Amino acid sequence: MAITINGTEVPLPEDPRMSLAEFLRDGLHLTGTKIGCNQGGCGACTVLIDGQRVLSCLTLAVQAEGREVTTIEGLSSGDDLHPLQEAFIAHDGFQCGYCTPGQICAATAMLRELAEGMPSSVTGDLSRPAPLTAEEIRERMSGNLCRCGAHNGIIAAILQVAQEGAA
Amino acid sequence: MTDFLRPATVEDALALMAAGGVVPLAGGTDLYPATQRRALPGLVLDVTGLPGLCGITTGPAGLRIGAATTWTALARATLPPALAALQQAAVEVGGIQIQNAGTIGGNLCNASPAADGVPPLLVLDTEVELVGHRGIRRLPLSQFLTGPRQTARQADELLTALHIPASALSGQSHFRKLGARAYLVISIAMVAVRLDLQAGRISHAALAVGACSATACRLPQVESALTGAPAAEAPALIRDADVAAALSPLDDLRATAAYRSGAAAELLRRSVATLCQPVPA
């Protein structure tokens, strides 16, 4: 009865109805994961479960039993930032920073979805890989809101990392 | 740990549900926001561990979609063009985080009049499979959905699968929805259209509209008007009055009733036009 969080196995919470977001923040003090709307509308609580992006406010911690959860704390190694973290800084992809962990976790999964050839609702031609355009990134990041309006910087940061990965 | 159940077999699940008061949980994307509380109330039964509830299989009778199949799994699957509308709906349900967790069966059991999955499944003549301790029964989707947030599922039954008959796997389909903005809003109107074209004429038409009546519905009168029509003339045969007659839209904060039925007719015309376009050489 355990979950692996950022590579470390931790026991499940005693209350089986605790959301993963609350468990991460209150149970494990991993406060990088933010709770915004707490009803699946804003994306601030996005984490990765087995590499797939999900909303931790709509997931019970016990539902992640036996699976690997990655939070924003698990993306960097020490002072070495993840390329997306570097790019968000370079492109001013935030102001207040509250939505940023969710944005970066979502973008991490999104880059993998792109690499796997997953189409989006704006991908016209499904027979070839989706083009790396701002429109594609915007559509794929539509589950993450930024009330400061830093979306242009966010899209630019992700686009840069996506293009470097594709090069 | 008695308030969270994660049975490993359908039999165990049914035995637990027989006691009553059990809330089935799949992706959680509707159940959580609906509770408006810190913790889910009642006894929660997680169905995602049950064998046979995830995935899509094809057989001589048609296609079977497990009820706990996620939107992402639907979007990624290789399916006949008749299911294109369902796949288009799948990539437009919320953001991708929602698509990774939310399930098609949950969408049906939650029974929102604006459920994105319903119109595409209605044009596929979908039947739902309900399993209870009295046995298995199948119902047409249109009979399963009995009203806003109401279904024919008994409290001790589980929705286990959707069945699409082989006869409905022909032709091509298309889905369109209209909201105040593209993202993260409840739709004002949505449509799914499935057409069979033969020698430039429509040999079979299935049209459904969602968010414009208590439950999404097919439009038999408009379907008859299209059947046999030349493809090029088809969009013009969809008349506002015929569409409005089939619907009973609400006036609410998102749109007026008149706007809704007008929008539904226009969405239908555009989807029919898309499907009737000559294939580029």
Side-chain angles (χ1 to χ4, degrees), chain A:
Chain A
M1 296 291 274
I3 318 177
T4 305
I5 301 202
N6 298 328
T8 306
E9 211 169 80
V10 299
L12 289 172
E14 278 182 26
D15 181 354
R17 292 182 307 197
M18 192 177 216
S19 77
L20 181 57
E22 281 189 44
F23 179 55
L24 290 169
R25 290 179 54 83
D26 299 347
L28 304 175
H29 306 296
L30 291 170
T31 51
T33 300
K34 304 302 185 206
I35 297 177
C37 67
N38 209 17
Q39 55 173 341
C42 77
C45 67
T46 302
V47 299
L48 309 180
I49 298 186
D50 293 339
Q52 251 196 351
R53 45 176 157 162
V54 297
L55 298 171
S56 60
C57 79
L58 297 186
T59 308
L60 292 170
V62 291
Q63 287 182 294
E65 186 194 345
R67 302 170 76 185
E68 296 229 8
V69 176
T70 306
T71 69
I72 189 71
E73 290 91 345
L75 290 182
S76 59
S77 53
D79 287 340
D80 288 336
L81 297 183
H82 186 279
L84 279 164
Q85 291 174 310
E86 303 261 18
F88 267 61
I89 295 169
H91 289 274
D92 288 332
F94 49 82
Q95 282 185 37
C96 82
Y98 198 80
C99 72
T100 313
Q103 298 276 3
I104 291 179
C105 284
T108 306
M110 194 213 67
L111 292 178
R112 212 184 71 176
E113 292 156 12
L114 265 177
E116 288 171 358
M118 173 86 183
S120 80
S121 70
V122 298
T123 311
D125 184 352
L126 299 182
S127 62
R128 57 188 75 181
L132 287 177
T133 60
E135 189 195 13
E136 273 286 345
I137 308 274
R138 200 172 289 122
E139 165 62 26
R140 290 162 190 268
M141 291 297 292
S142 66
N144 291 78
L145 303 182
C146 170
R147 291 299 294 271
C148 300
H151 288 287
N152 288 340
I154 291 169
I155 302 300
I158 298 170
L159 202 52
Q160 183 203 311
V161 176
Q163 282 163 347
E164 284 169 2

Side-chain angles (χ1 to χ4, degrees), chain B residues 240-264:
Chain B
D240 282 359
D242 294 342
V243 174
L247 305 175
S248 48
L250 291 178
D251 272 313
D252 70 7
L253 76 168
R254 282 184 282 274
T256 62
Y259 179 81
R260 277 201 159 90
S261 70

